[in-house]
Amino acid sequence: MILVTEAQSAARVTHELAFDAMRHAFIAAVGADAFSFPVVLAHGSDPQNRFTIKSAAGADLAGLKVGAYFPSNDARGLPRHASTILLIDQSSGRIGAVVEGSTLNCYRTAAADAVATDALARRDAAVLTLFGTGHQAGYEAQAIARIRTLSRILVVGRDPSRATAFATMLQGQGLPAEVADPEPAVRAADIIVTATTATAPLFDADWVQPGTHISSMGSDAQGKQELPPTLFPRARLFCDLPAQSARIGEFQHATPATPLTAIGAVLSGASEGRQSLKDITVFDSSGISLQDLHMAEAILAAMV
């Protein structure tokens, strides 16, 4: 069994590696030989400490990821989040590799956004509005800046001091960030990314202008919500896995008959993405295990 520690995987991951892995994963996910199994939502002995198990199989990969969220770690000075990927040796059924990947998970999630945004946003999109000022939001900004030339990044946060500190951090990374209020930020946006733990819409659907692309990155469980459902009839809707998105992703708030397109079908050429400059496109990322398996595979290859 191969063991890749957190330090080893974090030392080798890059936005480019993650982008390529996510593109491969999304295309693999729409293949006839791809299977994404039901998500297990669980908790530790202390119910506030939660973990999720996502598993999948593809043509060449099978395995699972355990993603943990332990608020009790605050008292120990440890991160709340942890992520571990297990690749199954398909010749024996034993664990072929264990890849610790908390940092990988941040890159993977941001790369999923970047791949979808690259496929769906206008080529001239230059203004990014970013809802969220947490750890993940910084990765999202960096990933989008790789695939579009951004003239402005409008940061929207509930806490003004945190929003200011976050924008200052992005400025230190060479990104054109500034703090903004929700309505003007949405109205000015070419791209909107939501990276929050919200359980109610973050903005009004009427603020969204024709031609905008939106990526919802935070809805991955029942009850979570970042977008106004009244936006959906005006938009073209895409996601990582339609059945999962409709169950635990942002599109749990859409009507059952709402058409959803897997982003992998767009990337493979089987379905259309943006059809006009005025289209509003929405991508929902609820997170699928094939993303994690392809990230682990990419890291193992980088270590050779």
Side-chain angles (χ1 to χ4, degrees):
M1 184 183 72
I2 300 170
L3 172 62
V4 180
T5 67
E6 175 68 29
Q8 289 173 321
S9 65
R12 285 164 176 79
V13 68
T14 65
H15 284 291
E16 182 180 8
L17 178 148
F19 185 95
D20 291 342
M22 290 308 94
R23 182 176 176 84
H24 290 310
F26 284 143
I27 294 174
V30 296
D33 48 10
F35 299 90
S36 292
F37 305 110
V39 177
V40 175
L41 301 175
H43 61 72
S45 300
D46 181 345
Q48 73 165 326
N49 294 327
R50 303 190 301 274
F51 62 93
T52 301
I53 301 171
K54 293 182 177 180
S55 57
D60 303 308
L61 293 169
L64 58 93
K65 182 188 77 172
V66 180
Y69 177 72
F70 271 46
S72 64
N73 280 350
D74 291 353
R76 302 172 61 199
L78 296 174
R80 291 186 172 192
H81 293 273
S83 182
T84 307
I85 306 164
L86 285 71
L87 295 179
I88 303 296
D89 181 336
Q90 297 191 69
S91 65
S92 68
R94 302 180 69 178
I95 303 300
V98 176
V99 180
E100 294 184 330
S102 296
T103 301
L104 282 190
N105 197 64
C106 296
Y107 277 89
R108 161 264 209 200
T109 301
D113 181 5
V115 169
T117 299
D118 196 37
L120 298 173
R122 302 190 327 266
R123 302 312 301 179
D124 65 347
V127 178
L128 166 64
T129 290
L130 179 58
F131 281 81
T133 59
H135 190 58
Q136 184 60 43
Y139 288 90
E140 303 292 329
Q142 288 284 354
I144 298 301
R146 285 189 66 254
I147 55 96
R148 290 294 185 275
T149 301
L150 299 177
S151 61
R152 301 174 75 193
I153 299 176
L154 305 177
V155 174
V156 182
R158 292 176 298 176
D159 183 328
S161 62
R162 286 193 61 178
T164 298
F166 181 75
T168 300
M169 181 195 73
L170 294 183
Q171 292 166 8
Q173 297 173 353
L175 298 177
E178 59 189 273
V179 177
D181 291 327
E183 181 172 355
V186 170
R187 290 188 181 278
D190 300 316
I191 300 168
I192 299 170
V193 174
T194 56
T196 75
T197 58
T199 56
L202 297 168
F203 53 84
D204 192 309
D206 292 339
W207 302 346
V208 179
Q209 300 302 298
T212 303
H213 170 71
I214 302 168
S215 288
S216 171
M217 307 305 295
S219 294
D220 58 359
Q222 290 185 349
K224 286 191 174 183
Q225 184 179 17
E226 297 183 307
L227 309 183
T230 52
L231 176 67
F232 299 157
R234 297 172 47 204
R236 293 175 52 77
L237 307 183
F238 304 86
C239 56
D240 42 21
L241 186 67
Q244 180 175 291
S245 177
R247 188 173 68 255
I248 64 170
E250 191 63 38
F251 297 139
Q252 66 186 277
H253 306 290
T255 59
T258 301
L260 307 177
T261 301
I263 191 65
V266 176
L267 297 171
S268 67
S271 296
E272 282 192 292
R274 173 174 294 276
Q275 295 179 335
S276 79
L277 294 177
K278 292 187 177 181
D279 280 348
I280 295 172
T281 54
V282 177
F283 170 67
D284 173 46
S285 178
S286 57
I288 56 176
S289 184
L290 279 172
Q291 294 171 255
D292 305 300
L293 304 188
H294 278 266
M295 278 295 286
E297 181 183 52
I299 287 296
L300 291 170
M303 295 183 67
V304 175

